[in-house]
Amino acid sequence: MNDFISKEQRQFKFKLGQYIASSLSGFIAGVIAASLIWITALRMFGY
C-alpha cells in the first residue's frame, strides 16, 4: 500500500508547498498510468 508514498524529508518554506509537490507528483504519475492504459486499449481494438 505504501509503494507510491514518498518518504522524502524535504524542507519547504511553507507547509502548503509540501502538499502541492506531493499532489503534483501523484497527478503526473496518474496521468502517465492512465495514458499507458488507454494507448494499450486503443491498440488492442485497432484504433
Side-chain angles (χ1 to χ4, degrees), residues 15-47:
K15 202 67 170 166
L16 182 62
Q18 184 174 4
Y19 294 121
I20 291 173
S22 178
S23 298
L24 183 60
S25 61
F27 175 77
I28 291 171
V31 167
I32 291 171
S35 296
L36 290 174
I37 291 169
W38 278 109
I39 289 170
T40 303
L42 290 174
R43 288 188 179 205
M44 285 178 57
F45 294 112
Y47 286 105

Side-chain angles (χ1 to χ4, degrees), residues 7-20:
K7 298 291 184 184
E8 292 180 16
Q9 294 299 320
R10 286 192 170 181
Q11 297 298 321
F12 290 93
K13 190 171 184 176
F14 300 103
K15 202 67 170 166
L16 182 62
Q18 184 174 4
Y19 294 121
I20 291 173

